[in-house]
C-alpha cells in the first residue's frame, strides 16, 4: 500500500507534470472506483489543474474554478504516468485499469488496481473535506507544528498497542503497515507495547523515529518518476517484508506475526528483548 512518503512523492511528481495543464478527458473504466456521483467525474474536464495536494494517503487534484479529483490508492492501487496515452477507448473488465485522465498534451495517467479486492477510490467533490476519509484524518506527522508535545498528547490515554495506534488515520495521518514496522524498529520498541504505557523517554524516542523514518523515506523518493517509487520503497525497508532475513542492525533473524489480512515484521533482539512474539491473532510475548 502506498503510504505517506510515496504519496508525497507522487504529489511532487504530479505537481510538476499536471499543474497548468487542462484535463480534457476522464474515463472511468471500472465504475466501482467512483465513490461520488454529484458532481459527475466529467465535471473536471475542461479545467486546468491548479494544484496537487496530499492529505494523509489521499491525493487531491484541485482544478481551476472546478471541483477536486481526490484519490486513495488503497492496498493495491497505483498511478501510472504516460507521456503519450494510448489512442482509442480502453475496454472495461480487461486488466487492472480503473480510470484514465488525459491532458491536452496527449499525456496523462492511469489509475490501476491489482487483485480482486477493489478498494481504489476516486471522489469528485467541491471541497476535499467532503471526502469522509479526509475529514476524519488526524494531524500530518511531517507538519511543522507536529512537535513532540503534540505527539505525546495524542498517545495519552491510548489503551491500544502502539502498532495499531500508529496506523490509525484518525490519530496520525499517512502511516500504514510498512512504515509503522520501520518506525518501531528504529525506536527499538515492541509493536505490542501499550501506547499509554510509554514513558516520556520512550515517547521521545518514538517521536524521533517517526519523524526521521518518514523524512528519510520522502527524501529517497523525491524526484523519482512515478514508476520507480514502488521499487524505492521496498529497497529502503529494513524489516517490513523481510521475514527470515538478518536484521541490518544486529544480525538477528527478522520474524513475523500474521493476522487475518496482514502481517507485521520485527527484530526480536532490537525490539522485544530477544523474545519472539506469538504468531497468533491475539499475540503477546511468549513466556
Amino acid at each position: 500500500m502506498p503510504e505517506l512518503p510515496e504519496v508525497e512523492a507522487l504529489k511532487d511528481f504530479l505537481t510538476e507534470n499536471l499543474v497548468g495543464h487542462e484535463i480534457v478527458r476522464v474515463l472511468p473504466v471500472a465504475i466501482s472506483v467512483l465513490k461520488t456521483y454529484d458532481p459527475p467525474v466529467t465535471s473536471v474536464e475542461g479545467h486546468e489543474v491548479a494544484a496537487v495536494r496530499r492529505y494523509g494517503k489521499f491525493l487531491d487534484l484541485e482544478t481551476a474554478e472546478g471541483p477536486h479529483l481526490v484519490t486513495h490508492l488503497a492496498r493495491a492501487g497505483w498511478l501510472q504516468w504516460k507521456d503519450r496515452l494510448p489512442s482509442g477507448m480502453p475496454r472495461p473488465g480487461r486488466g487492472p485499469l480503473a480510470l484514465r485522465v488525459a491532458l491536452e498534451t496527449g499525456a496523462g495517467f492511469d489509475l490501476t488496481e491489482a487483485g480482486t479486492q477493489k478498494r481504489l477510490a476516486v471522489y469528485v467533490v467541491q471541497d476535499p473535506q467532503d471526502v469522509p476519509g479526509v475529514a476524519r484524518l488526524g494531524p500530518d506527522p511531517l507538519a511543522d507544528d507536529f512537535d513532540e508535545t503534540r505527539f505525546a498528547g495524542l498517545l495519552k490515554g491510548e489503551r491500544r498497542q502502539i502498532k495499531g495506534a500508529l496506523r490509525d488515520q484518525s490519530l496520525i495521518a499517512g502511516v500504514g503497515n510498512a512504515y509503522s514496522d520501520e518506525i518501531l524498529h528504529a525506536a527499538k520498541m515492541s509493536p505490542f507495547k501499550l501506547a499509554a504505557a510509554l514513558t516520556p523517554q520512550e515517547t521521545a524516542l518514538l517521536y524521533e523515529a517517526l519523524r526521521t523514518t518518514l523524512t528519510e523515506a520522502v527524501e529517497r523518493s523525491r524526484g523519482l518518476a512515478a514508476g520507480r517509487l514502488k521499487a524505492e520503497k521496498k529497497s529502503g525497508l529494513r524489516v517490513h517484508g523481510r521475514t527470515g532475513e538478518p536484521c541490518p542492525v544486529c544480525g538477528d533473524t527478522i520474524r513475523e506475526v500474521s493476522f487475518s489480512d496482514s502481517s507485521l515484521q520485527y527484530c526480536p533482539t532490537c525490539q522485544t528483548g530477544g523474545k519472539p512474539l506469538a504468531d497468533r491473532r491475539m499475540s503477546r510475548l511468549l513466556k
Side-chain angles (χ1 to χ4, degrees):
M1 175 185 290
E3 300 178 35
L4 185 156
E6 295 78 49
V7 180
E8 179 72 11
L10 282 174
K11 182 207 74 174
D12 291 345
F13 176 84
L14 292 176
T15 296
E16 181 178 349
N17 288 277
L18 285 182
V19 171
H21 291 289
E22 180 188 347
I23 297 175
V24 296
R25 196 74 182 272
V26 180
L27 297 170
V29 179
I31 298 301
S32 61
V33 76
L34 297 177
K35 305 306 178 186
T36 57
Y37 302 95
D38 184 20
V41 68
T42 54
S43 63
V44 301
E45 295 177 352
H47 294 278
E48 286 189 357
V49 178
V52 182
R53 297 185 174 87
R54 177 184 62 80
Y55 300 95
K57 302 177 193 177
F58 289 84
L59 269 175
D60 169 29
L61 274 60
E62 178 185 352
T63 62
E65 300 180 356
H68 296 249
L69 183 74
V70 180
T71 300
H72 192 288
L73 295 171
R75 176 172 293 184
W78 195 244
L79 185 150
Q80 298 184 3
W81 178 264
K82 299 180 185 298
D83 291 328
R84 176 64 58 178
L85 287 169
S87 59
M89 296 287 290
R91 297 182 64 182
R94 298 292 184 91
L97 179 60
L99 183 133
R100 175 168 289 168
V101 174
L103 304 179
E104 90 286 358
T105 61
F109 64 85
D110 288 341
L111 294 179
T112 62
E113 185 172 26
T116 59
Q117 294 186 349
K118 301 304 181 182
R119 298 178 179 175
L120 177 67
V122 173
Y123 308 81
V124 179
V125 291
Q126 298 297 344
D127 187 324
Q129 294 299 317
D130 294 336
V131 177
V134 173
R136 72 177 184 88
L137 287 174
D140 192 291
L142 293 186
D144 292 340
D145 61 353
F146 190 83
D147 57 17
E148 186 182 325
T149 299
R150 190 174 188 187
F151 179 61
L154 292 173
L155 297 183
K156 186 178 181 181
E158 274 290 336
R159 301 303 302 173
R160 290 177 291 177
Q161 295 165 340
I162 190 62
K163 166 80 173 180
L166 288 175
R167 293 184 62 188
D168 183 350
Q169 300 303 293
S170 65
L171 191 73
I172 300 171
V175 179
N177 195 30
Y179 285 108
S180 58
D181 281 352
E182 297 299 298
I183 291 163
L184 291 167
H185 179 256
K188 300 185 181 298
M189 188 173 295
S190 169
F192 297 118
K193 189 176 184 65
L194 290 180
L198 266 60
T199 66
Q201 182 181 14
E202 289 172 329
T203 300
L205 288 172
L206 185 60
Y207 172 78
E208 180 62 27
L210 171 71
R211 295 274 289 198
T212 300
T213 299
L214 294 178
T215 299
E216 290 179 351
V218 168
E219 289 303 316
R220 288 195 305 269
S221 300
R222 196 178 300 280
L224 294 181
R228 295 175 57 194
L229 289 173
K230 282 186 178 181
E232 172 53 43
K233 176 180 180 178
K234 185 175 181 180
S235 68
L237 298 175
R238 294 167 297 181
V239 291
H240 184 80
R242 300 192 180 278
T243 303
E245 298 181 22
C247 171
V249 175
C250 71
D252 194 1
T253 301
I254 295 169
R255 303 211 183 197
E256 176 176 300
V257 175
S258 299
F259 302 96
S260 61
D261 61 350
S262 66
S263 63
L264 65 83
Q265 286 78 43
Y266 69 100
C267 170
T269 294
C270 290
Q271 296 175 253
T272 60
K275 298 179 181 180
L277 294 168
D279 189 8
R280 59 181 182 270
R281 193 161 191 179
M282 298 302 291
S283 296
R284 61 178 181 269
L285 281 173
L286 291 172
K287 296 181 179 179

